[in-house]
Short mmCIF file of all heavy atoms in Angstrom, two decimals:
data_model
loop_
_atom_site.label_atom_id
_atom_site.label_comp_id
_atom_site.label_asym_id
_atom_site.label_seq_id
_atom_site.Cartn_x
_atom_site.Cartn_y
_atom_site.Cartn_z
N PRO A 1 -79.45 159.37 10.35
CA PRO A 1 -80.67 159.18 9.57
C PRO A 1 -80.46 158.16 8.46
O PRO A 1 -79.36 158.04 7.93
CB PRO A 1 -80.96 160.56 9.02
CG PRO A 1 -79.66 161.30 9.06
CD PRO A 1 -78.89 160.70 10.19
N ASN A 2 -81.48 157.46 8.15
CA ASN A 2 -81.41 156.47 7.07
C ASN A 2 -82.63 156.68 6.18
O ASN A 2 -83.74 156.48 6.64
CB ASN A 2 -81.40 155.07 7.66
CG ASN A 2 -81.02 154.02 6.65
OD1 ASN A 2 -80.62 154.31 5.54
ND2 ASN A 2 -81.16 152.77 7.03
N PRO A 3 -82.49 157.15 4.98
CA PRO A 3 -81.23 157.29 4.23
C PRO A 3 -80.42 158.53 4.64
O PRO A 3 -80.95 159.44 5.26
CB PRO A 3 -81.69 157.42 2.79
CG PRO A 3 -83.05 157.99 2.86
CD PRO A 3 -83.65 157.49 4.16
N THR A 4 -79.15 158.52 4.26
CA THR A 4 -78.26 159.63 4.54
C THR A 4 -77.76 160.23 3.23
O THR A 4 -77.74 159.54 2.20
CB THR A 4 -77.08 159.20 5.41
OG1 THR A 4 -76.27 160.34 5.71
CG2 THR A 4 -76.23 158.14 4.74
N GLN A 5 -77.35 161.47 3.29
CA GLN A 5 -76.79 162.12 2.11
C GLN A 5 -75.29 162.31 2.21
O GLN A 5 -74.66 162.71 1.25
CB GLN A 5 -77.48 163.46 1.86
CG GLN A 5 -78.93 163.28 1.46
CD GLN A 5 -79.57 164.58 1.04
OE1 GLN A 5 -78.94 165.62 0.97
NE2 GLN A 5 -80.85 164.51 0.75
N GLY A 6 -74.73 162.03 3.38
CA GLY A 6 -73.29 162.20 3.44
C GLY A 6 -72.65 161.94 4.79
O GLY A 6 -71.54 161.45 4.86
N ASP A 7 -73.32 162.27 5.87
CA ASP A 7 -72.73 162.10 7.19
C ASP A 7 -73.66 161.28 8.08
O ASP A 7 -74.87 161.44 8.01
CB ASP A 7 -72.50 163.45 7.88
CG ASP A 7 -71.46 164.30 7.17
OD1 ASP A 7 -70.42 163.75 6.80
OD2 ASP A 7 -71.71 165.51 7.01
N PHE A 8 -73.07 160.42 8.88
CA PHE A 8 -73.84 159.75 9.92
C PHE A 8 -72.93 159.42 11.08
O PHE A 8 -71.70 159.41 10.95
CB PHE A 8 -74.58 158.50 9.40
CG PHE A 8 -73.71 157.33 9.08
CD1 PHE A 8 -73.42 156.38 10.04
CD2 PHE A 8 -73.18 157.16 7.81
CE1 PHE A 8 -72.63 155.29 9.75
CE2 PHE A 8 -72.40 156.07 7.50
CZ PHE A 8 -72.12 155.13 8.47
N THR A 9 -73.53 159.18 12.22
CA THR A 9 -72.79 158.88 13.44
C THR A 9 -73.23 157.55 13.99
O THR A 9 -74.42 157.29 14.13
CB THR A 9 -73.03 159.99 14.49
OG1 THR A 9 -72.63 161.25 13.93
CG2 THR A 9 -72.22 159.73 15.74
N LEU A 10 -72.27 156.72 14.30
CA LEU A 10 -72.51 155.44 14.96
C LEU A 10 -72.21 155.65 16.45
O LEU A 10 -71.07 155.95 16.82
CB LEU A 10 -71.60 154.36 14.38
CG LEU A 10 -71.67 152.99 15.01
CD1 LEU A 10 -73.05 152.37 14.78
CD2 LEU A 10 -70.59 152.09 14.44
N ASP A 11 -73.24 155.56 17.28
CA ASP A 11 -73.07 155.79 18.71
C ASP A 11 -72.88 154.45 19.42
O ASP A 11 -73.79 153.62 19.44
CB ASP A 11 -74.28 156.53 19.27
CG ASP A 11 -74.09 156.96 20.71
OD1 ASP A 11 -72.93 157.03 21.16
OD2 ASP A 11 -75.10 157.23 21.38
N ILE A 12 -71.71 154.25 19.97
CA ILE A 12 -71.38 153.02 20.70
C ILE A 12 -71.50 153.31 22.19
O ILE A 12 -70.70 154.06 22.76
CB ILE A 12 -69.95 152.53 20.36
CG1 ILE A 12 -69.80 152.28 18.87
CG2 ILE A 12 -69.60 151.30 21.18
CD1 ILE A 12 -70.64 151.16 18.32
N SER A 13 -72.53 152.73 22.81
CA SER A 13 -72.75 152.97 24.24
C SER A 13 -72.53 151.71 25.09
O SER A 13 -72.49 151.79 26.31
CB SER A 13 -74.16 153.50 24.47
OG SER A 13 -75.11 152.59 23.98
N ASP A 14 -72.40 150.57 24.43
CA ASP A 14 -72.20 149.31 25.15
C ASP A 14 -70.73 148.91 25.00
O ASP A 14 -70.24 148.73 23.89
CB ASP A 14 -73.11 148.24 24.55
CG ASP A 14 -73.11 146.95 25.35
OD1 ASP A 14 -72.18 146.74 26.15
OD2 ASP A 14 -74.05 146.16 25.18
N ASP A 15 -70.03 148.76 26.12
CA ASP A 15 -68.59 148.48 26.04
C ASP A 15 -68.26 147.12 25.45
O ASP A 15 -67.10 146.82 25.19
CB ASP A 15 -67.90 148.68 27.38
CG ASP A 15 -68.39 147.74 28.47
OD1 ASP A 15 -69.30 146.94 28.21
OD2 ASP A 15 -67.84 147.81 29.58
N ILE A 16 -69.27 146.30 25.19
CA ILE A 16 -69.01 145.03 24.51
C ILE A 16 -68.47 145.28 23.09
O ILE A 16 -67.76 144.45 22.54
CB ILE A 16 -70.28 144.15 24.48
CG1 ILE A 16 -69.91 142.71 24.13
CG2 ILE A 16 -71.31 144.69 23.50
CD1 ILE A 16 -71.03 141.72 24.38
N TRP A 17 -68.80 146.46 22.52
CA TRP A 17 -68.33 146.79 21.17
C TRP A 17 -67.06 147.64 21.17
O TRP A 17 -66.54 147.97 20.11
CB TRP A 17 -69.43 147.53 20.40
CG TRP A 17 -70.61 146.66 20.14
CD1 TRP A 17 -71.85 146.78 20.70
CD2 TRP A 17 -70.69 145.52 19.28
NE1 TRP A 17 -72.69 145.79 20.24
CE2 TRP A 17 -72.00 145.00 19.36
CE3 TRP A 17 -69.77 144.88 18.44
CZ2 TRP A 17 -72.41 143.88 18.65
CZ3 TRP A 17 -70.19 143.77 17.73
CH2 TRP A 17 -71.48 143.28 17.83
N LEU A 18 -66.54 147.98 22.35
CA LEU A 18 -65.32 148.78 22.43
C LEU A 18 -64.18 148.05 21.73
O LEU A 18 -63.90 146.89 22.02
CB LEU A 18 -64.95 149.04 23.89
CG LEU A 18 -63.66 149.81 24.14
CD1 LEU A 18 -63.75 151.19 23.52
CD2 LEU A 18 -63.37 149.90 25.62
N GLY A 19 -63.56 148.71 20.79
CA GLY A 19 -62.45 148.12 20.03
C GLY A 19 -62.89 147.21 18.91
O GLY A 19 -62.05 146.57 18.27
N ALA A 20 -64.19 147.16 18.63
CA ALA A 20 -64.68 146.31 17.54
C ALA A 20 -64.21 146.85 16.19
O ALA A 20 -63.95 148.04 16.03
CB ALA A 20 -66.21 146.25 17.56
N ASN A 21 -64.11 145.96 15.23
CA ASN A 21 -63.80 146.34 13.87
C ASN A 21 -65.11 146.74 13.19
O ASN A 21 -66.10 146.02 13.25
CB ASN A 21 -63.17 145.15 13.13
CG ASN A 21 -62.85 145.49 11.70
OD1 ASN A 21 -62.13 146.43 11.43
ND2 ASN A 21 -63.39 144.72 10.78
N ALA A 22 -65.12 147.90 12.55
CA ALA A 22 -66.28 148.36 11.80
C ALA A 22 -65.87 148.52 10.35
O ALA A 22 -64.88 149.19 10.04
CB ALA A 22 -66.79 149.69 12.34
N SER A 23 -66.61 147.90 9.45
CA SER A 23 -66.31 148.02 8.03
C SER A 23 -67.59 148.33 7.27
O SER A 23 -68.68 147.90 7.64
CB SER A 23 -65.66 146.74 7.49
OG SER A 23 -66.49 145.63 7.72
N ILE A 24 -67.42 149.11 6.21
CA ILE A 24 -68.54 149.45 5.32
C ILE A 24 -68.27 148.79 3.99
O ILE A 24 -67.18 148.92 3.42
CB ILE A 24 -68.68 150.97 5.15
CG1 ILE A 24 -69.03 151.62 6.48
CG2 ILE A 24 -69.75 151.29 4.10
CD1 ILE A 24 -69.12 153.14 6.43
N HIS A 25 -69.29 148.07 3.49
CA HIS A 25 -69.22 147.43 2.18
C HIS A 25 -70.37 147.90 1.31
O HIS A 25 -71.47 148.14 1.83
CB HIS A 25 -69.29 145.90 2.32
CG HIS A 25 -68.09 145.31 2.95
ND1 HIS A 25 -67.92 145.27 4.32
CD2 HIS A 25 -66.97 144.77 2.42
CE1 HIS A 25 -66.76 144.70 4.60
NE2 HIS A 25 -66.16 144.39 3.47
N ASN A 26 -70.13 147.99 0.01
CA ASN A 26 -71.22 148.31 -0.89
C ASN A 26 -71.98 147.04 -1.22
O ASN A 26 -71.65 145.95 -0.75
CB ASN A 26 -70.72 149.05 -2.14
CG ASN A 26 -69.79 148.22 -2.99
OD1 ASN A 26 -69.70 147.00 -2.87
ND2 ASN A 26 -69.06 148.89 -3.88
N ILE A 27 -73.00 147.17 -2.05
CA ILE A 27 -73.91 146.05 -2.34
C ILE A 27 -73.20 144.89 -3.04
O ILE A 27 -73.64 143.74 -2.94
CB ILE A 27 -75.14 146.54 -3.14
CG1 ILE A 27 -76.25 145.52 -3.15
CG2 ILE A 27 -74.74 146.93 -4.55
CD1 ILE A 27 -76.99 145.39 -1.87
N ILE A 28 -72.08 145.16 -3.71
CA ILE A 28 -71.36 144.07 -4.38
C ILE A 28 -70.18 143.55 -3.56
O ILE A 28 -69.39 142.75 -4.04
CB ILE A 28 -70.93 144.46 -5.81
CG1 ILE A 28 -69.95 145.64 -5.80
CG2 ILE A 28 -72.12 144.74 -6.68
CD1 ILE A 28 -69.35 145.93 -7.17
N GLY A 29 -70.08 144.02 -2.32
CA GLY A 29 -69.08 143.46 -1.41
C GLY A 29 -67.76 144.18 -1.34
O GLY A 29 -66.86 143.74 -0.61
N GLN A 30 -67.60 145.28 -2.05
CA GLN A 30 -66.35 146.03 -1.98
C GLN A 30 -66.25 146.77 -0.66
O GLN A 30 -67.20 147.45 -0.26
CB GLN A 30 -66.26 147.05 -3.13
CG GLN A 30 -66.16 146.44 -4.49
CD GLN A 30 -66.25 147.50 -5.57
OE1 GLN A 30 -67.10 148.38 -5.53
NE2 GLN A 30 -65.37 147.40 -6.55
N GLU A 31 -65.10 146.64 0.01
CA GLU A 31 -64.90 147.36 1.26
C GLU A 31 -64.62 148.82 0.98
O GLU A 31 -63.71 149.15 0.22
CB GLU A 31 -63.74 146.75 2.06
CG GLU A 31 -63.60 147.36 3.44
CD GLU A 31 -62.58 146.65 4.28
OE1 GLU A 31 -61.38 146.90 4.06
OE2 GLU A 31 -62.97 145.84 5.14
N MET A 32 -65.40 149.70 1.59
CA MET A 32 -65.29 151.13 1.37
C MET A 32 -64.55 151.83 2.52
O MET A 32 -63.96 152.88 2.32
CB MET A 32 -66.68 151.75 1.22
CG MET A 32 -67.57 151.08 0.20
SD MET A 32 -66.92 151.15 -1.48
CE MET A 32 -67.12 152.89 -1.83
N ASP A 33 -64.63 151.26 3.70
CA ASP A 33 -64.02 151.86 4.90
C ASP A 33 -63.83 150.77 5.93
O ASP A 33 -64.59 149.80 5.96
CB ASP A 33 -64.95 152.96 5.45
CG ASP A 33 -64.29 153.82 6.53
OD1 ASP A 33 -63.31 153.38 7.14
OD2 ASP A 33 -64.78 154.93 6.77
N GLN A 34 -62.81 150.95 6.76
CA GLN A 34 -62.56 150.00 7.86
C GLN A 34 -61.88 150.77 8.95
O GLN A 34 -60.96 151.55 8.70
CB GLN A 34 -61.69 148.84 7.36
CG GLN A 34 -61.52 147.71 8.34
CD GLN A 34 -60.44 147.96 9.38
OE1 GLN A 34 -59.42 148.55 9.11
NE2 GLN A 34 -60.69 147.50 10.58
N ARG A 35 -62.36 150.56 10.18
CA ARG A 35 -61.76 151.24 11.33
C ARG A 35 -62.13 150.51 12.62
O ARG A 35 -62.99 149.65 12.62
CB ARG A 35 -62.19 152.70 11.40
CG ARG A 35 -63.69 152.86 11.57
CD ARG A 35 -64.10 154.31 11.65
NE ARG A 35 -64.15 154.90 10.33
CZ ARG A 35 -64.52 156.13 10.08
NH1 ARG A 35 -64.88 156.91 11.06
NH2 ARG A 35 -64.54 156.60 8.86
N THR A 36 -61.49 150.91 13.70
CA THR A 36 -61.80 150.40 15.02
C THR A 36 -62.68 151.42 15.73
O THR A 36 -62.35 152.62 15.75
CB THR A 36 -60.51 150.17 15.83
OG1 THR A 36 -59.69 149.24 15.11
CG2 THR A 36 -60.80 149.63 17.20
N VAL A 37 -63.79 150.98 16.29
CA VAL A 37 -64.71 151.92 16.94
C VAL A 37 -64.32 152.16 18.39
O VAL A 37 -63.66 151.35 19.01
CB VAL A 37 -66.19 151.43 16.86
CG1 VAL A 37 -66.66 151.37 15.43
CG2 VAL A 37 -66.38 150.11 17.56
N THR A 38 -64.75 153.31 18.87
CA THR A 38 -64.52 153.70 20.26
C THR A 38 -65.88 153.94 20.91
O THR A 38 -66.90 154.06 20.23
CB THR A 38 -63.69 154.99 20.33
OG1 THR A 38 -64.39 156.04 19.64
CG2 THR A 38 -62.32 154.80 19.71
N LEU A 39 -65.89 154.01 22.24
CA LEU A 39 -67.13 154.35 22.94
C LEU A 39 -67.53 155.77 22.58
O LEU A 39 -66.68 156.64 22.39
CB LEU A 39 -66.97 154.21 24.44
CG LEU A 39 -66.92 152.80 25.00
CD1 LEU A 39 -66.70 152.82 26.51
CD2 LEU A 39 -68.19 152.03 24.69
N GLY A 40 -68.81 156.02 22.50
CA GLY A 40 -69.30 157.33 22.14
C GLY A 40 -69.59 157.42 20.65
O GLY A 40 -69.90 156.41 20.00
N GLU A 41 -69.46 158.61 20.11
CA GLU A 41 -69.81 158.85 18.72
C GLU A 41 -68.64 158.56 17.78
O GLU A 41 -67.53 159.02 18.01
CB GLU A 41 -70.27 160.29 18.54
CG GLU A 41 -71.56 160.59 19.28
CD GLU A 41 -72.07 161.99 19.04
OE1 GLU A 41 -71.34 162.81 18.43
OE2 GLU A 41 -73.19 162.27 19.47
N ASN A 42 -68.93 157.79 16.74
CA ASN A 42 -67.98 157.48 15.68
C ASN A 42 -68.56 158.07 14.40
O ASN A 42 -69.55 157.57 13.88
CB ASN A 42 -67.80 155.97 15.55
CG ASN A 42 -67.16 155.36 16.78
OD1 ASN A 42 -65.97 155.18 16.84
ND2 ASN A 42 -67.97 155.03 17.78
N ALA A 43 -67.96 159.15 13.91
CA ALA A 43 -68.50 159.88 12.78
C ALA A 43 -67.98 159.30 11.46
O ALA A 43 -66.82 158.92 11.34
CB ALA A 43 -68.12 161.35 12.87
N TYR A 44 -68.87 159.25 10.49
CA TYR A 44 -68.56 158.78 9.14
C TYR A 44 -68.99 159.84 8.13
O TYR A 44 -70.07 160.41 8.26
CB TYR A 44 -69.31 157.48 8.82
CG TYR A 44 -68.80 156.28 9.57
CD1 TYR A 44 -69.23 156.02 10.85
CD2 TYR A 44 -67.88 155.42 8.99
CE1 TYR A 44 -68.76 154.91 11.55
CE2 TYR A 44 -67.41 154.31 9.66
CZ TYR A 44 -67.86 154.07 10.95
OH TYR A 44 -67.40 152.98 11.64
N ASN A 45 -68.15 160.10 7.14
CA ASN A 45 -68.50 160.98 6.05
C ASN A 45 -68.48 160.13 4.78
O ASN A 45 -67.42 159.67 4.35
CB ASN A 45 -67.51 162.14 5.93
CG ASN A 45 -67.86 163.08 4.80
OD1 ASN A 45 -68.44 162.68 3.79
ND2 ASN A 45 -67.52 164.33 4.98
N ILE A 46 -69.64 159.94 4.19
CA ILE A 46 -69.74 159.11 2.99
C ILE A 46 -70.23 159.93 1.81
O ILE A 46 -70.81 159.40 0.86
CB ILE A 46 -70.65 157.88 3.23
CG1 ILE A 46 -72.07 158.30 3.60
CG2 ILE A 46 -70.05 156.98 4.30
CD1 ILE A 46 -73.06 157.16 3.52
N ALA A 47 -69.98 161.23 1.85
CA ALA A 47 -70.44 162.13 0.78
C ALA A 47 -69.90 161.72 -0.58
O ALA A 47 -70.58 161.93 -1.60
CB ALA A 47 -70.02 163.57 1.10
N ASP A 48 -68.72 161.12 -0.64
CA ASP A 48 -68.12 160.73 -1.92
C ASP A 48 -68.61 159.37 -2.42
O ASP A 48 -68.26 158.97 -3.52
CB ASP A 48 -66.60 160.71 -1.80
CG ASP A 48 -66.02 162.10 -1.58
OD1 ASP A 48 -66.68 163.09 -1.93
OD2 ASP A 48 -64.90 162.18 -1.05
N TYR A 49 -69.37 158.66 -1.62
CA TYR A 49 -69.90 157.36 -2.05
C TYR A 49 -71.00 157.57 -3.08
O TYR A 49 -71.74 158.55 -3.02
CB TYR A 49 -70.50 156.58 -0.87
CG TYR A 49 -69.53 156.07 0.15
CD1 TYR A 49 -68.24 156.56 0.27
CD2 TYR A 49 -69.93 155.10 1.05
CE1 TYR A 49 -67.37 156.08 1.24
CE2 TYR A 49 -69.07 154.61 2.03
CZ TYR A 49 -67.80 155.11 2.11
OH TYR A 49 -66.94 154.64 3.07
N GLN A 50 -71.14 156.62 -4.00
CA GLN A 50 -72.25 156.66 -4.94
C GLN A 50 -73.54 156.34 -4.21
O GLN A 50 -73.55 155.70 -3.16
CB GLN A 50 -72.03 155.64 -6.06
CG GLN A 50 -70.86 155.96 -6.94
CD GLN A 50 -70.73 154.95 -8.08
OE1 GLN A 50 -71.49 154.01 -8.20
NE2 GLN A 50 -69.73 155.16 -8.91
N GLN A 51 -74.66 156.78 -4.79
CA GLN A 51 -75.96 156.43 -4.22
C GLN A 51 -76.13 154.92 -4.25
O GLN A 51 -75.69 154.26 -5.18
CB GLN A 51 -77.09 157.08 -5.02
CG GLN A 51 -77.13 158.57 -4.90
CD GLN A 51 -78.31 159.17 -5.66
OE1 GLN A 51 -79.10 158.47 -6.26
NE2 GLN A 51 -78.42 160.48 -5.61
N GLY A 52 -76.76 154.39 -3.21
CA GLY A 52 -77.00 152.96 -3.18
C GLY A 52 -77.12 152.43 -1.77
O GLY A 52 -77.21 153.16 -0.80
N ILE A 53 -77.10 151.11 -1.69
CA ILE A 53 -77.24 150.39 -0.42
C ILE A 53 -75.86 149.98 0.08
O ILE A 53 -75.04 149.47 -0.70
CB ILE A 53 -78.14 149.16 -0.59
CG1 ILE A 53 -79.55 149.60 -1.02
CG2 ILE A 53 -78.20 148.33 0.70
CD1 ILE A 53 -80.45 148.46 -1.42
N TYR A 54 -75.62 150.18 1.36
CA TYR A 54 -74.36 149.84 2.00
C TYR A 54 -74.63 149.07 3.28
O TYR A 54 -75.72 149.12 3.84
CB TYR A 54 -73.55 151.10 2.31
CG TYR A 54 -73.09 151.81 1.05
CD1 TYR A 54 -73.90 152.72 0.41
CD2 TYR A 54 -71.85 151.54 0.51
CE1 TYR A 54 -73.50 153.35 -0.75
CE2 TYR A 54 -71.43 152.16 -0.66
CZ TYR A 54 -72.26 153.06 -1.27
OH TYR A 54 -71.85 153.68 -2.43
N PHE A 55 -73.60 148.38 3.75
CA PHE A 55 -73.70 147.60 4.98
C PHE A 55 -72.54 147.97 5.90
O PHE A 55 -71.38 147.91 5.49
CB PHE A 55 -73.66 146.10 4.67
CG PHE A 55 -74.78 145.66 3.77
CD1 PHE A 55 -74.60 145.60 2.41
CD2 PHE A 55 -76.02 145.34 4.30
CE1 PHE A 55 -75.64 145.21 1.57
CE2 PHE A 55 -77.06 144.96 3.48
CZ PHE A 55 -76.87 144.89 2.11
N LEU A 56 -72.87 148.35 7.13
CA LEU A 56 -71.88 148.59 8.16
C LEU A 56 -71.86 147.36 9.04
O LEU A 56 -72.88 146.98 9.63
CB LEU A 56 -72.27 149.82 8.99
CG LEU A 56 -71.41 150.08 10.23
CD1 LEU A 56 -70.01 150.50 9.82
CD2 LEU A 56 -72.04 151.13 11.10
N THR A 57 -70.71 146.70 9.12
CA THR A 57 -70.57 145.48 9.91
C THR A 57 -69.67 145.74 11.10
O THR A 57 -68.55 146.20 10.95
CB THR A 57 -69.97 144.34 9.05
OG1 THR A 57 -70.78 144.14 7.91
CG2 THR A 57 -69.87 143.06 9.85
N LEU A 58 -70.19 145.46 12.28
CA LEU A 58 -69.40 145.50 13.51
C LEU A 58 -69.01 144.08 13.85
O LEU A 58 -69.86 143.19 13.91
CB LEU A 58 -70.22 146.08 14.67
CG LEU A 58 -70.53 147.55 14.64
CD1 LEU A 58 -71.47 147.91 15.77
CD2 LEU A 58 -69.26 148.36 14.74
N GLN A 59 -67.73 143.85 14.09
CA GLN A 59 -67.23 142.52 14.41
C GLN A 59 -66.35 142.62 15.64
O GLN A 59 -65.38 143.38 15.67
CB GLN A 59 -66.41 141.97 13.24
CG GLN A 59 -65.89 140.58 13.43
CD GLN A 59 -66.95 139.52 13.17
OE1 GLN A 59 -67.72 139.65 12.22
NE2 GLN A 59 -66.99 138.52 14.00
N GLN A 60 -66.72 141.86 16.67
CA GLN A 60 -65.93 141.80 17.91
C GLN A 60 -65.87 140.34 18.33
O GLN A 60 -66.82 139.80 18.89
CB GLN A 60 -66.59 142.67 18.99
CG GLN A 60 -65.89 142.65 20.33
CD GLN A 60 -64.64 143.49 20.34
OE1 GLN A 60 -63.79 143.36 19.47
NE2 GLN A 60 -64.50 144.35 21.32
N GLY A 61 -64.78 139.69 18.00
CA GLY A 61 -64.67 138.26 18.29
C GLY A 61 -65.76 137.50 17.56
O GLY A 61 -65.90 137.61 16.36
N GLU A 62 -66.55 136.75 18.30
CA GLU A 62 -67.64 135.96 17.71
C GLU A 62 -68.91 136.79 17.47
O GLU A 62 -69.83 136.32 16.81
CB GLU A 62 -67.97 134.76 18.60
CG GLU A 62 -66.84 133.77 18.75
CD GLU A 62 -66.52 133.07 17.44
OE1 GLU A 62 -67.45 132.69 16.72
OE2 GLU A 62 -65.32 132.92 17.14
N LEU A 63 -68.96 137.99 18.04
CA LEU A 63 -70.14 138.84 17.89
C LEU A 63 -70.09 139.61 16.58
O LEU A 63 -69.04 140.11 16.19
CB LEU A 63 -70.23 139.85 19.04
CG LEU A 63 -70.43 139.30 20.43
CD1 LEU A 63 -70.36 140.43 21.45
CD2 LEU A 63 -71.77 138.58 20.52
N GLN A 64 -71.24 139.71 15.94
CA GLN A 64 -71.32 140.47 14.69
C GLN A 64 -72.69 141.14 14.61
O GLN A 64 -73.70 140.56 14.97
CB GLN A 64 -71.13 139.57 13.48
CG GLN A 64 -71.23 140.30 12.15
CD GLN A 64 -70.90 139.41 10.99
OE1 GLN A 64 -69.81 138.87 10.91
NE2 GLN A 64 -71.84 139.26 10.08
N ASN A 65 -72.70 142.39 14.14
CA ASN A 65 -73.94 143.12 13.92
C ASN A 65 -73.82 143.83 12.58
O ASN A 65 -72.83 144.54 12.34
CB ASN A 65 -74.16 144.13 15.05
CG ASN A 65 -75.52 144.78 15.01
OD1 ASN A 65 -76.40 144.35 14.27
ND2 ASN A 65 -75.70 145.81 15.80
N VAL A 66 -74.81 143.66 11.71
CA VAL A 66 -74.80 144.26 10.39
C VAL A 66 -75.94 145.28 10.32
O VAL A 66 -77.09 144.95 10.62
CB VAL A 66 -74.95 143.22 9.27
CG1 VAL A 66 -74.96 143.88 7.91
CG2 VAL A 66 -73.83 142.19 9.36
N ILE A 67 -75.59 146.50 9.92
CA ILE A 67 -76.56 147.58 9.78
C ILE A 67 -76.62 147.98 8.31
O ILE A 67 -75.60 148.32 7.71
CB ILE A 67 -76.15 148.79 10.64
CG1 ILE A 67 -76.03 148.37 12.10
CG2 ILE A 67 -77.14 149.94 10.46
CD1 ILE A 67 -75.29 149.37 12.96
N ARG A 68 -77.81 147.92 7.75
CA ARG A 68 -78.02 148.30 6.35
C ARG A 68 -78.41 149.78 6.31
O ARG A 68 -79.21 150.23 7.11
CB ARG A 68 -79.14 147.47 5.75
CG ARG A 68 -79.50 147.80 4.33
CD ARG A 68 -80.77 147.00 3.93
NE ARG A 68 -81.29 147.44 2.69
CZ ARG A 68 -82.14 148.46 2.51
NH1 ARG A 68 -82.56 149.13 3.55
NH2 ARG A 68 -82.56 148.80 1.32
N PHE A 69 -77.80 150.53 5.38
CA PHE A 69 -78.20 151.92 5.22
C PHE A 69 -78.15 152.30 3.74
O PHE A 69 -77.54 151.62 2.92
CB PHE A 69 -77.34 152.86 6.08
CG PHE A 69 -75.89 152.96 5.69
CD1 PHE A 69 -75.45 153.93 4.82
CD2 PHE A 69 -74.97 152.07 6.22
CE1 PHE A 69 -74.11 154.03 4.47
CE2 PHE A 69 -73.63 152.15 5.88
CZ PHE A 69 -73.20 153.13 5.00
N VAL A 70 -78.84 153.40 3.44
CA VAL A 70 -78.96 153.87 2.07
C VAL A 70 -78.29 155.23 1.94
O VAL A 70 -78.50 156.12 2.78
CB VAL A 70 -80.45 153.98 1.66
CG1 VAL A 70 -80.58 154.55 0.25
CG2 VAL A 70 -81.13 152.63 1.76
N LYS A 71 -77.47 155.39 0.91
CA LYS A 71 -76.85 156.69 0.59
C LYS A 71 -77.64 157.28 -0.56
O LYS A 71 -77.84 156.66 -1.59
CB LYS A 71 -75.39 156.47 0.19
CG LYS A 71 -74.71 157.62 -0.55
CD LYS A 71 -74.62 158.87 0.24
CE LYS A 71 -73.68 159.91 -0.33
NZ LYS A 71 -73.97 160.48 -1.61
N ARG A 72 -78.14 158.50 -0.38
CA ARG A 72 -78.87 159.21 -1.44
C ARG A 72 -78.04 160.30 -2.04
O ARG A 72 -77.20 160.86 -1.45
CB ARG A 72 -80.14 159.83 -0.87
CG ARG A 72 -81.12 158.77 -0.51
CD ARG A 72 -82.48 159.15 -0.93
NE ARG A 72 -83.34 157.99 -0.71
CZ ARG A 72 -84.60 158.06 -0.43
NH1 ARG A 72 -85.19 159.21 -0.35
NH2 ARG A 72 -85.30 156.98 -0.26
#
């Protein structure tokens, strides 16, 4: 759900994103999390993050997808 209060799941169903780098940055560009995604559900717990706007960036070679979300 967007906005979220603490937990969300990134569902990777397209194998083009298998092994992609996923990073979360806050509005001022600080990296909050970084990991490699797998097919299926990738769970995130952001309960300790401050309220605000964040960006989840998926990077796989030349491909990039940025998802904006709000933490309440």
Side-chain angles (χ1 to χ4, degrees):
N2 193 8
T4 183
Q5 292 187 4
D7 294 315
F8 71 91
T9 302
L10 177 65
D11 188 20
I12 302 295
S13 58
D14 188 342
D15 63 358
I16 196 167
W17 294 110
L18 178 61
N21 179 56
S23 57
I24 296 177
H25 291 83
N26 63 17
I27 195 73
I28 62 172
Q30 293 173 314
E31 186 173 78
M32 308 298 290
D33 191 339
Q34 188 278 324
R35 61 180 79 178
T36 301
V37 297
T38 59
L39 286 178
E41 295 183 351
N42 294 266
Y44 289 84
N45 181 330
I46 61 166
D48 294 337
Y49 290 18
Q50 293 183 359
Q51 292 183 1
I53 298 171
Y54 293 86
F55 300 93
L56 172 68
T57 303
L58 289 174
Q59 182 79 42
Q60 178 76 310
E62 296 294 318
L63 296 174
Q64 179 175 300
N65 189 11
V66 179
I67 302 165
R68 178 187 169 275
F69 66 93
V70 177
K71 163 63 166 63
R72 291 222 172 150

